[in-house]
Amino acid sequence: MAEPVVRIPDAKVALSTASVYPESTATAFEIAGRLGYDGVEVMVWTDPVSQDIEALRRLSDYHRVPILAIHAPCLLITQRVWSTDPWTKLQRARAAAERLGASTVVVHPPFRWQRQYARDFVTGIWRMADETDVRFAVENMYPWRYRDREVLAYAPDWDVTKDDYRHFTVDLSHTATARSDAMSMVERMGDRLGHIHLADGNGSAKDEHLVPGRGNQPCAELLERLAGTSFDGHVVIEVNTRRAMSSAEREADLAEALAFTRLHLASATASASAGSAAGSSAGSASGTASASASGSASGSASAETRPPQPRVSHGRPRIRRP
């Protein structure tokens, strides 16, 4: 009988380019490649490189890091990025995903003051999803709080499970800020959960985006649950490293987040394999069995010469203005 082997799920672990802020989009690709992430999610924001498809393609090719997702520019600070019209932003995000080979566009629900956009949002997202193979994964948000006041800033709702979407993104920093039950939300999302923003939080009114394991959210529990399901989306590390005192400290945080994620994605499968081995051992005539676990092989650095340095760099990247 074949010996049971620990099998890590197919879910890819990506680095959000927002996780290196205030460093650049180009730096995120470099760090993702050096640490062994499976890819990146590009946060389209005020960094011109994040808005430029050809610049992103050159970075992806040079660092050999695939672009797995595009986060549409729907933050307060990106209201003028890629147009002031929110539907144009989503159309451009979809086009970028299609051209760059990304499978997912992450989108937030509208702000309440975007009244027409909010009224049409649910049906509009379905319409756009029907026009492409790219997933539009709508992300859970949270109420805004100031002292003892709570402001509902998102429409139709910050809890996106109250509306009908084809795919969801769950963000565990946002569940912490909302003080909602993350695992209950995941249950409601069911098989429509298509994308994970993995971060932690302690329930502060501020959206903390802590390294997984440093807050009170069920980061490990969620990953172990995914390992036992048919989840076929991506797990994206989206953490706040702005307080890092150096580039080395920032990189250490991102390495810790990656190690945490891969450990817990594998642990549920490892437990299942161990249980299966124990059951086989108890039922065998000889009463003996051996079990072995093999970790996934980490690919060694290729000896091939890298292609020429692309035109984008950490300093002044040469970009095509949108």
Side-chain angles (χ1 to χ4, degrees), residues 307-322:
Q309 172 69 36
R311 288 179 293 165
V312 289
S313 65
H314 295 172
R316 296 289 181 185
R318 186 182 302 173
I319 52 91
R320 175 171 54 81
R321 295 280 179 181

Side-chain angles (χ1 to χ4, degrees), residues 133-152:
D133 290 333
V134 173
R135 293 178 172 181
F136 281 88
V138 186
E139 183 174 1
N140 63 298
M141 299 304 292
Y142 46 85
W144 291 1
R145 293 190 180 91
Y146 178 70
R147 294 181 179 173
D148 58 346
R149 297 183 60 189
E150 186 174 284
V151 177
L152 301 179

Side-chain angles (χ1 to χ4, degrees), residues 7-47:
R7 299 191 184 281
I8 297 175
D10 291 334
K12 291 185 169 69
V13 183
L15 178 66
S16 169
T17 58
S19 295
V20 306
Y21 181 83
E23 297 196 64
S24 67
T25 300
T27 300
F29 278 86
E30 180 184 346
I31 291 175
R34 187 160 56 243
L35 294 181
Y37 278 84
D38 297 316
V40 300
E41 174 179 298
V42 174
M43 172 68 80
V44 180
W45 68 298
T46 55
D47 180 351

Side-chain angles (χ1 to χ4, degrees), residues 135 144 187 223 232 248 257 265 269 285 303:
R135 293 178 172 181
W144 291 1
E187 287 282 351
L223 293 170
D232 62 352
L265 276 175
T269 315

Side-chain angles (χ1 to χ4, degrees), residues 170 172 181-190 193 222 225:
V170 69
L172 269 67
D181 186 321
M183 296 308 293
S184 292
M185 179 171 283
V186 168
E187 287 282 351
R188 295 194 299 275
M189 291 178 174
L193 176 60
L222 174 60
R225 174 192 172 95

